[in-house]
Amino acid sequence: MEKIMPKLLLLTAAVSMFTTLGIVFTLLFETFTFFSRVSIVEFLTAKEWLPWNEKSGSFGIAPLVTGTLLTTAIAMLVAIPVGLASAIYLSEYATERTRKIIKPILEVLAGIPTIVYGFFALTFVTPLLQKIIPGLEVFNALSPGLVMGIMIIPMVASLSEDAMSSVPNAIREGALGLGSTKLETAVKIVLPAAASGVIASFVLAISRAIGETMIVAVAGGSSPVLTFDVTQSIQTMTAYIVQVTTGDAGYGTTIYYSIYAVGMTLFVFTLAMNLLAQYISRRFREEY
Amino acid sequence: MLTMVKEKTIAPTEEKAVVYRTKELNLWYGEHHALKNIELDIYENEVTAIIGPSGCGKSTYIKTLNRMIELVPNVRTSGEITYRGRNIFDPTYRVEELRTQVGMVFQKPNPFPKSIYENVAYGPRIHGIRDKKILDEIVEKSLRGAAIWDEVKDRLHENAYGLSGGQQQRLCIARCLAIEPDVILMDEPTSALDPISTLKVEELIEELKKNYSIIIVTHNMQQAARISDRTAFFLNGEVVEFAETDQLFSTPADKRTEDYITGRFG
């Protein structure tokens, strides 16, 4: 038994590894098929994404990328400041008891299905925002961006809090002993000491926002337009994939293959972010 | 802190000014009565050593002097500690102000994970000094004051964690000098250091007492005998004996002091 167990465990680990490899392989293979029909130059440089138009169709990824980056940027404007402030509160100010109550609540927030957030954005946040911004369309970048930000707060808060909590107390005492206030100690000593973990949490949050699907599919719209206007309907890379897979594009059509190319682009973005996060936490690791 | 005029109250019966006066100080950790009716005067420009076995309350006492003890949850105190005539427990006395006057060096060297320069400049910076030239001067003066300037002057912008333990501790002393304190509290500052580094820190303390009042907690009786002017012997949260160091070690008044310094317990 003792001899079989490690092999069994290795096998289970191998399952997830091979699945990942399989996915990457499929993605690559179908992406190549797509690029045999549409030139990669057009894909990267054309300014329009009009896959539904049979004759004068255009496959420029730019509008989908800007749609994704727009919602991601809005989400980060919410998630980074609020998440970081929560982390500072939890790590530096909250008593052990408060922390034990708040942290699980934050983690529950992270467990809400994203489709719920999507409908929350569409049916609650958008109407609310329309009262403040009269020109806001029913589908827009702002509302799903904000809600996505709220969704990501717990992730930033939790990971940053872990990084800050692992800064030894002796360092805090050193700062307090020089007459620093608690806030000065938190911002000027603890936060820089925990910088690698905190920045890694930001990068992972960005990666999460780029890959987020349901919120933007439900509330962001399906108009791939090259714009930075947050009140307009947009389309993200993920939302486009949802649109195609739930629609009636037949197997083997260019549209069918286009989702793999878009998926590949998405994969490159999130992979780059994850590698960046790893690099940052290794490169700037603090030895206390 | 730099602009503040230090008021010096000179007690009429004493030749030297009293920096700290402790009256009927009691301290509890939850239910545990850790300090019992402490009465102690600390004099200006002297080294006061606090000795005693583990758990006797000596570290607790020194941390009470700059109210660092309040970082421990469920701590209660009664009684009074006056610093230069002002009750440190007075709610109007800002703890940051007190800690600017009273620097602290800890048991284990605890430099910030920053450069050597930034470690020393941190204190002056938070107290509002921005001018690069003035900061440079303070950093050099403080590092010289802590007898580490020659060792680090060529690598001021390297991380402090690259220094040896003994150098780190002297850096922490420099960091403390940079805020121009009046009193320096040292909580077993050499317990984590090798004998040569210990010697350097001890020589430094001799030098520092010309300008500062120093209170040092130490586990090491020889160290107390070597460097201090007065010694307080703590046992089970009480001050058993407080006298001039020579007197305390040569002719202890209390049997328990004698037992401790002759190595019968502790």
Side-chain angles (χ1 to χ4, degrees):
Chain A
M1 198 57 191
E2 278 303 309
K3 282 187 178 166
I4 302 171
M5 274 320 274
K7 287 182 183 122
L8 223 72
L9 294 171
L10 175 70
L11 199 72
T12 51
V15 167
S16 69
M17 201 182 76
F18 284 118
T19 313
T20 313
L21 282 177
I23 290 172
V24 174
F25 180 76
T26 318
L27 209 51
L28 272 173
F29 192 76
E30 305 288 32
T31 303
F32 279 126
T33 315
F34 175 76
F35 284 127
S36 69
R37 300 187 184 193
V38 175
S39 92
I40 191 157
V41 178
E42 178 188 341
F43 185 73
L44 293 176
T45 58
K47 291 191 175 63
E48 281 179 315
W49 184 259
L50 298 167
W52 309 97
N53 196 328
E54 283 291 331
K55 293 206 179 87
S56 59
S58 167
F59 290 93
I61 188 78
L64 294 181
V65 171
T66 57
T68 298
L69 294 184
L70 203 55
T71 48
T72 300
I74 296 164
M76 289 307 108
L77 286 177
V78 176
I80 288 178
V82 180
L84 189 58
S86 314
I88 292 175
Y89 171 75
L90 284 174
S91 155
E92 305 303 306
Y93 289 91
T95 59
E96 195 52 38
R97 251 179 71 194
T98 322
R99 196 190 343 236
K100 276 193 177 140
I101 297 167
I102 294 183
K103 257 204 134 178
I105 294 177
L106 275 177
E107 269 141 30
V108 166
L109 201 61
I112 296 173
T114 56
I115 184 80
V116 177
Y117 281 108
F119 273 95
F120 174 67
L122 182 66
T123 61
F124 180 77
V125 178
T126 301
L128 198 71
L129 287 173
Q130 278 174 324
K131 286 184 187 140
I132 308 163
I133 310 165
L136 193 71
E137 293 177 20
V138 175
F139 297 108
N140 58 75
L142 185 60
S143 167
L146 293 177
V147 172
M148 202 151 74
I150 293 167
M151 180 191 77
I152 293 170
I153 290 170
M155 183 179 161
V156 174
S158 185
L159 291 176
S160 298
E161 197 262 340
D162 289 343
M164 291 178 73
S165 299
S166 65
V167 174
N169 261 329
I171 291 176
R172 286 185 187 84
E173 286 173 5
L176 294 171
L178 292 170
S180 320
T181 61
K182 261 192 139 175
L183 188 66
E184 283 165 340
T185 307
V187 175
K188 295 180 181 164
I189 297 294
V190 180
L191 201 56
S196 64
V198 170
I199 295 170
S201 87
F202 294 170
V203 178
L204 286 176
I206 294 171
S207 164
R208 175 83 206 271
I210 290 173
E212 170 48 36
T213 307
M214 285 325 290
I215 300 175
V216 284
V218 170
S222 51
S223 326
V225 195
L226 190 60
T227 177
F228 288 100
D229 179 357
V230 297
T231 64
Q232 272 191 40
S233 174
I234 48 101
Q235 187 167 43
T236 64
M237 291 188 270
T238 50
Y240 171 72
I241 296 173
V242 172
Q243 188 192 14
V244 173
T245 48
T246 55
D248 50 8
Y251 175 82
T253 59
T254 310
I255 287 183
Y256 169 81
Y257 287 113
S258 74
I259 63 173
Y260 287 98
V262 174
M264 192 70 208
T265 313
L266 201 55
F267 177 69
V268 168
F269 270 82
T270 50
L271 183 70
M273 285 298 156
N274 289 343
L275 291 179
L276 184 63
Q278 275 187 20
Y279 170 76
I280 290 168
S281 23
R282 264 189 221 145
R283 173 70 180 73
F284 299 101
R285 176 172 301 162
E286 295 295 349
E287 312 274 354
Y288 304 112
Chain B
M1 54 120 215
L2 290 170
T3 54
M4 199 173 296
V5 179
K6 287 169 187 169
E7 70 174 281
K8 312 221 167 177
T9 48
I10 296 178
T13 51
E14 303 289 346
E15 282 175 26
K16 283 181 170 172
V18 175
V19 179
Y20 265 113
R21 177 158 280 165
T22 306
K23 275 189 218 151
E24 285 175 47
L25 175 72
N26 282 281
L27 183 143
W28 293 265
Y29 290 118
E31 293 301 307
H32 174 60
H33 197 173
L35 293 177
K36 298 163 192 161
N37 290 315
I38 306 289
E39 304 265 342
L40 210 62
D41 285 350
I42 309 289
Y43 297 92
E44 193 170 55
N45 296 353
E46 279 193 0
V47 176
T48 306
I50 299 174
I51 59 168
S54 299
C56 69
K58 57 190 192 301
S59 268
T60 300
Y61 176 67
I62 200 175
K63 283 182 183 155
T64 311
L65 293 176
N66 68 345
R67 292 177 54 189
M68 287 296 273
I69 200 71
E70 289 166 19
L71 296 178
V72 181
N74 299 319
V75 162
R76 257 178 329 121
T77 54
S78 76
E80 197 181 82
I81 298 179
T82 54
Y83 163 66
R84 299 265 182 210
R86 234 177 125 184
N87 184 1
I88 65 165
F89 298 122
D90 185 336
T92 63
Y93 199 163
R94 284 180 63 240
V95 69
E96 290 83 15
E97 190 190 321
L98 174 69
R99 289 176 189 161
T100 307
Q101 298 286 314
V102 182
M104 187 165 213
V105 177
F106 298 81
Q107 198 166 346
K108 274 196 196 147
N110 59 346
F112 304 133
K114 295 177 185 283
S115 71
I116 293 166
Y117 182 95
E118 285 302 322
N119 262 278
V120 183
Y122 175 78
R125 269 195 225 275
I126 57 164
H127 296 299
I129 297 174
R130 298 239 153 64
D131 190 319
K132 177 86 172 64
K133 252 180 137 177
I134 297 175
L135 282 174
D136 286 350
E137 277 166 28
I138 294 174
V139 169
E140 179 171 346
K141 193 173 150 217
S142 308
L143 288 169
R144 280 188 192 283
I148 191 180
W149 171 253
D150 290 333
E151 290 159 67
V152 300
K153 65 178 183 229
D154 299 322
R155 48 171 172 155
L156 289 177
H157 297 284
E158 284 174 29
N159 197 298
Y161 283 68
L163 299 174
S164 72
Q167 288 174 323
Q168 286 188 11
Q169 193 63 304
R170 277 178 288 142
L171 175 65
C172 290
I173 294 173
R175 184 174 75 181
C176 171
L177 299 182
I179 59 170
E180 298 192 353
D182 172 32
V183 181
I184 302 174
L185 307 175
M186 297 184 166
D187 186 5
E188 300 194 34
T190 61
S191 66
L193 305 184
D194 60 81
I196 291 167
S197 302
T198 298
L199 188 68
K200 280 190 180 161
V201 171
E202 284 184 10
E203 284 168 359
L204 179 56
I205 292 170
E206 283 289 319
E207 194 57 35
L208 290 174
K209 87 175 199 194
K210 292 176 191 155
N211 298 310
Y212 305 91
S213 313
I214 295 168
I215 304 164
I216 179 169
V217 165
T218 176
H219 219 80
N220 178 334
M221 278 176 285
Q222 286 75 26
Q223 184 171 62
R226 277 195 300 269
I227 61 174
S228 72
D229 300 294
R230 264 171 236 265
T231 300
F233 171 54
F234 275 54
L235 187 65
N236 298 327
E238 288 175 80
V239 180
V240 173
E241 192 165 346
F242 179 44
E244 290 190 6
T245 300
D246 293 344
Q247 191 194 328
L248 187 129
F249 281 97
S250 59
T251 50
D254 195 292
K255 181 79 173 60
R256 290 169 293 174
T257 313
E258 191 184 338
D259 286 348
Y260 183 70
I261 61 173
T262 53
R264 252 170 249 165
F265 72 96

